[in-house]
């Protein structure tokens, strides 16, 4: 390939060498580019002498660069063909105009003759002088195969378009603003319930299906895309057979020579997606309104979602990314790491874990919560992510504590009242007191009974204390031991105890238990005990008078 190089006289030899090296490198790049072109490219100098041939030409002729250098044509070519090539080259040299040869025969190195369409251009130097011609020849015989391949490709494209989940279309806006669809795929049946031909005949069926509230925005989007030649994108509602659906459209416009705008695009039915988005929006509203803490984390423990209650707990701003946090931000204490690992493992194995726990806010005291950890699985039943729902039970805990305190207070009050009512000390004579014992006897009542009896004997200076057990339903070792201790204690104060109301079945129980009441006076009824005590005290009083006389 010839190259004219102009060199300034002031340039040094070194500079010239550098430029020559650079030019050769650039020339090598150009040659590599031309070698990638499948058409035959041939550069000829004056007299049709070949100066350069690209790879496609060399392979067609079966000759290398050295063999082709400076020849006029290959020897195996027919002389008449070669003569015509030379005449065509001469015409380009003489006229300085390109020459288009729509069809000419070119012999291949193996003797095959193919028809080529060739265009020849003049090549000029820096002064405008024609120094050669370049011819680009395209093999017309390959067009038949290309046409067949194009037909197959079109069929393949139609199959692909037919399987696209939506309507593929071409939409044309004429300069007078009339609209129509040059092409509509069979996806129109799923989108509009119409055959493609119906939409291509009448484009208004598409615009009229748009919800009236969205129609102006729909048309404005088309006109804006036509004005700016920016992609058209739209989401809106359409009515099809009385049912509202959501469509999503996207297309890219091209301005045609006559000023019309052609869009190639796709319409998708996104009704289910919109319904899912609406449902997610409701869930988000609920999660944003609840005071329960809701968090989602991946298997590595990195947070994916925190509702406002969780963000308040951790003092995280609404705009802060949740994925900067992990489980350890909810459970910062090292002492909880073992519990957290066990809980995550339990949830992963069993699907969930539930129980009471405590969370530590960013500032403040620990928060008691009802804690539920859930493990969610993918379609292959492999763990996918974890979620946590934590309900603040601090008010519940305080209420329970208050109820427990009140309950215990009521029990203490009731026990005190019962003790006071069940152990009344009744003076029945100057030196005789009566203490009826009613109901079951526990440790608290036994202590109260003992204190009441001893205090009553002391205050009343009693000589006899009657303890009536008629109202005791069960006489066991505990009650019997109480009575014996009471009698011994009273004797230390200089008085004695009379027990009344021991029924025959109680007496038999006491004997069976091996309890000895021989040191204590007993009577079967309270009346007998009172009569005996009064007679004894009267007799003592008479004896005192007689001794005094």
């Amino acid at each position: 390939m010839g190259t004219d190089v102009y060199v300034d006289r002031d340039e040094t030899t070194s500079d010239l060498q550098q430029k020559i090296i650079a030019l050769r490198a650039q020339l090598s790049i150009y040659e590599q580019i031309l070698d990638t072109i499948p058409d035959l490219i041939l550069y000829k100098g004056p007299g049709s002498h070949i100066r350069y041939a690209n790879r496609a030409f060399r392979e067609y002729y079966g000759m290398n660069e050295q063999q082709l250098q400076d020849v006029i044509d290959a020897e195996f070519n027919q002389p008449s063909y070669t003569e015509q090539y030379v005449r065509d080259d001469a015409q380009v040299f003489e006229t300085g105009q390109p020459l288009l040869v729509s069809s000419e025969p070119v012999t291949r190195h193996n003797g095959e003759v193919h028809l080529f369409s060739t265009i020849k251009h003049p090549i000029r130097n820096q002064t405008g002088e024609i120094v050669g011609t370049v011819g680009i020849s395209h093999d017309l015989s390959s067009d038949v195969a290309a046409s067949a391949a194009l037909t197959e490709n079109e069929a393949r494209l139609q199959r692909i378009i037919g399987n696209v989940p939506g309507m593929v279309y071409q939409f044309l806006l004429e300069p007078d603003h009339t609209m129509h669809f040059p092409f509509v795929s069979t996806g129109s049946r799923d989108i509009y319930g119409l055959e493609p031909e119906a939409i291509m005949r009448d484009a208004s069926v598409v615009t009229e299906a748009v919800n009236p509230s969205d129609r102006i925005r729909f048309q404005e989007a088309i006109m804006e895309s036509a004005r700016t030649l920016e992609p058209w994108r739209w989401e809106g509602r359409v009515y099809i057979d009385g049912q509202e659906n959501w469509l999503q459209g996207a297309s890219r416009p091209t301005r045609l020579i006559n000023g019309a705008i052609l869009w190639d695009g796709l319409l998708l039915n996104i009704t289910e997606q919109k319904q899912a988005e609406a449902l997610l929006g409701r869930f988000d509203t609920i999660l944003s309104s609840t005071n329960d803490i809701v968090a989602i984390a991946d298997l590595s423990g990195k947070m994916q979602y925190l509702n406002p209650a969780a963000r308040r707990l951790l003092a995280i701003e609404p705009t802060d990314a949740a994925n900067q946090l992990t489980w350890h931000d909810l459970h910062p204490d090292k002492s909880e790491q073992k519990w957290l690992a066990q809980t995550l493992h339990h949830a992963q194995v069993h699907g969930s874990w539930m129980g009471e726990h405590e969370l530590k806010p960013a500032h403040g005291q620990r928060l008691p919560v009802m804690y539920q950890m859930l493990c969610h699985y993918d379609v292959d039943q492999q763990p996918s992510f974890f979620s946590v729902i934590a309900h603040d039970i601090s008010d519940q805990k305080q209420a329970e504590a208050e109820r427990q305190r009140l309950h215990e207070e009521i029990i203490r009050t009731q026990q005190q009242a019962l003790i006071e009512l069940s152990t009344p000390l009744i003076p029945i004579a100057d030196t005789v007191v009566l203490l009826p014992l009613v109901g079951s006897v526990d440790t608290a009542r036994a202590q109260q009974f003992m204190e009441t009896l001893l205090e009553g004997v002391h205050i009343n200076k009693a000589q006899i204390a009657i303890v009536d057990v008629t109202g005791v339903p069960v006489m066991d070792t505990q009650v019997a031991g109480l009575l014996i201790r009471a009698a011994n204690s009273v004797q230390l104060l200089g008085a004695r105890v009379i027990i009344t109301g021991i029924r025959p079945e109680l007496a038999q129980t006491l004997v069976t238990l091996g309890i000895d009441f021989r040191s204590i006076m007993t009577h079967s009824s309270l009346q007998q005990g009172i009569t005996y005590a009064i007679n004894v005290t009267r007799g003592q009083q008479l004896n005192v008078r007689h001794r005094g006389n």
Side-chain angles (χ1 to χ4, degrees):
M1 185 177 287
T3 305
D4 294 327
V5 181
Y6 175 75
V7 180
D8 193 337
R9 292 179 181 178
D10 295 335
E11 290 181 336
T12 65
T13 302
S14 176
D15 292 339
L16 182 59
Q17 290 176 343
Q18 291 292 332
K19 288 188 176 182
I20 292 175
I21 292 173
L23 287 172
R24 286 176 176 171
Q26 191 68 34
L27 182 62
S28 175
I29 292 174
Y30 291 152
E31 290 178 346
Q32 292 179 59
I33 293 173
L34 294 175
D35 281 344
T36 64
I37 297 175
D39 290 339
L40 309 186
I41 300 177
L42 188 65
Y43 171 64
K44 297 179 181 180
S48 296
H49 288 278
I50 297 175
R51 299 291 178 81
Y52 168 81
N54 73 337
R55 178 181 298 168
F57 189 95
R58 297 194 303 269
E59 290 178 352
Y60 192 84
Y61 268 56
M63 302 170 69
N64 58 34
E65 294 181 5
Q66 287 75 20
Q67 291 170 328
L68 286 169
Q69 188 66 34
D70 231 15
V71 301
I72 294 176
D73 201 354
E75 293 182 357
F76 55 76
N77 212 344
Q78 295 187 25
S80 60
Y81 296 169
T82 302
E83 293 171 0
Q84 183 63 47
Y85 303 156
V86 172
R87 287 194 295 269
D88 293 339
D89 294 336
Q91 179 180 337
V92 174
F93 262 90
E94 292 172 3
T95 65
Q97 298 296 322
L99 175 65
L100 175 63
V101 181
S102 59
S103 177
E104 64 177 353
V106 180
T107 305
R108 200 169 184 270
H109 66 85
N110 59 359
E112 295 178 357
V113 178
H114 291 193
L115 291 179
F116 281 80
S117 66
T118 301
I119 183 168
K120 295 188 177 184
H121 288 271
I123 302 299
R124 302 176 187 271
N125 62 12
Q126 291 179 336
T127 63
E129 179 186 1
I130 297 176
V131 296
T133 64
V134 61
I136 303 174
S137 301
H138 177 69
D139 190 352
L140 296 177
S141 60
S142 64
D143 289 348
V144 176
S147 177
L150 180 61
T151 302
E152 174 60 26
N153 287 338
E154 288 178 350
R156 184 182 298 112
L157 180 61
Q158 287 294 336
R159 290 195 297 271
I160 293 173
I161 291 175
N163 290 321
V164 170
M167 187 180 88
V168 180
Y169 65 90
Q170 284 188 316
F171 176 71
L172 188 65
L173 176 64
E174 300 286 0
D176 61 358
H177 286 185
T178 58
M179 305 176 183
H180 66 275
F181 288 88
F183 172 78
V184 174
S185 72
T186 55
S188 62
R189 300 165 185 164
D190 297 328
I191 298 294
Y192 291 102
L194 297 172
E195 292 297 324
E197 293 76 16
I199 297 177
M200 288 188 283
R201 281 196 307 269
D202 183 7
S204 65
V205 297
V206 171
T207 55
E208 290 175 358
V210 178
N211 186 304
S213 300
D214 298 334
R215 193 170 297 165
I216 293 177
R217 185 169 55 85
F218 173 79
Q219 295 171 341
E220 288 177 346
I222 294 175
M223 301 310 296
E224 180 66 14
S225 177
R227 185 182 67 82
T228 63
L229 293 183
E230 291 293 323
W232 175 77
R233 302 184 187 281
W234 177 79
E235 283 188 5
R237 296 162 294 176
V238 296
Y239 285 106
I240 301 169
D241 295 332
Q243 181 177 355
E244 183 180 81
N245 289 335
W246 277 89
L247 297 184
Q248 181 184 72
S251 60
R252 187 175 296 275
T254 302
R255 188 181 299 277
L256 304 183
I257 296 176
N258 65 350
I261 309 295
L262 179 67
W263 283 268
D264 300 301
L266 174 67
L267 271 177
L268 294 173
N269 189 328
I270 59 170
T271 304
E272 292 184 0
Q273 174 186 331
K274 283 294 184 180
Q275 291 172 346
E277 289 176 358
L279 185 59
L280 287 175
R282 296 187 185 102
F283 285 147
D284 186 65
T285 300
I286 294 172
L287 294 178
S288 298
S289 302
T290 182
N291 289 325
D292 289 349
I293 296 161
V294 181
I296 298 174
D298 61 20
L299 295 181
S300 68
K302 184 180 293 185
M303 291 297 167
Q304 303 296 309
Y305 170 81
L306 292 169
N307 75 331
R311 290 178 177 271
R312 288 193 297 270
L313 177 79
L314 298 172
I316 302 299
E317 294 295 328
T319 56
D320 290 344
N323 59 12
Q324 301 300 316
L325 304 175
T326 67
W327 285 125
H328 301 298
D329 293 286
L330 280 175
H331 305 282
D333 293 345
K334 291 184 178 180
S335 59
E336 289 201 331
Q337 300 311 307
K338 183 177 180 180
W339 173 87
L340 178 60
Q342 292 175 342
T343 301
L344 290 170
H345 177 72
H346 186 281
Q348 185 169 328
V349 173
H350 301 283
S352 66
W353 179 90
M354 179 181 290
E356 292 185 11
H357 196 62
E358 289 185 341
L359 294 177
K360 186 177 181 181
H363 304 288
Q365 298 179 347
R366 299 181 70 87
L367 183 69
V369 295
M370 178 56 70
Y371 200 94
Q372 185 173 18
M373 173 82 72
L374 300 172
C375 181
H376 303 267
Y377 304 88
D378 59 20
V379 293
D380 296 323
Q381 295 303 308
Q382 296 299 314
S384 178
F385 64 93
F386 291 97
S387 67
V388 161
I389 302 174
H391 177 66
D392 182 359
I393 59 173
S394 54
D395 291 341
Q396 176 184 334
K397 286 292 185 181
Q398 292 175 358
E400 289 177 357
E402 181 63 18
R403 284 196 299 270
Q404 183 63 25
R405 187 190 66 79
L406 291 175
H407 180 67
E408 292 174 354
E409 182 66 25
I410 291 172
I411 290 175
R412 285 194 298 270
T413 303
Q414 289 177 339
Q415 287 179 339
Q416 184 63 33
L418 182 60
I419 290 171
E420 293 177 354
L421 291 174
S422 62
T423 56
L425 186 70
I426 305 171
I428 60 175
D430 291 340
T431 58
V432 179
V433 294
L434 170 63
L435 187 64
L437 192 58
V438 180
S440 301
V441 180
D442 55 15
T443 303
R445 283 201 67 196
Q447 183 64 31
Q448 181 65 30
F449 166 77
M450 187 72 73
E451 293 175 358
T452 302
L453 179 61
L454 295 176
E455 185 178 359
V457 170
H458 173 70
I459 293 174
N460 291 279
K461 295 181 174 54
Q463 296 178 5
I464 297 177
I466 301 174
V467 177
D468 182 55
V469 296
T470 304
V472 177
V474 177
M475 180 67 72
D476 54 14
T477 55
Q478 180 180 355
V479 177
L482 170 65
L483 295 177
I484 294 173
R485 289 195 302 274
N488 294 335
S489 299
V490 169
Q491 288 177 2
L492 294 175
L493 297 179
R496 55 179 173 169
V497 173
I498 299 175
I499 297 177
T500 63
I502 297 180
R503 300 183 299 279
E505 62 272 17
L506 289 181
Q508 185 176 1
T509 300
L510 293 174
V511 172
T512 303
L513 294 174
I515 297 174
D516 187 4
F517 271 83
R518 287 179 295 179
S519 61
I520 302 174
M521 182 174 292
T522 62
H523 287 278
S524 61
S525 66
L526 176 60
Q527 182 179 358
Q528 291 178 352
I530 293 174
T531 301
Y532 174 81
I534 292 175
N535 289 336
V536 169
T537 56
R538 284 180 179 175
Q540 291 176 348
Q541 291 173 357
L542 289 175
N543 291 334
V544 169
R545 292 194 192 99
H546 291 317
R547 286 196 298 269
N549 292 332

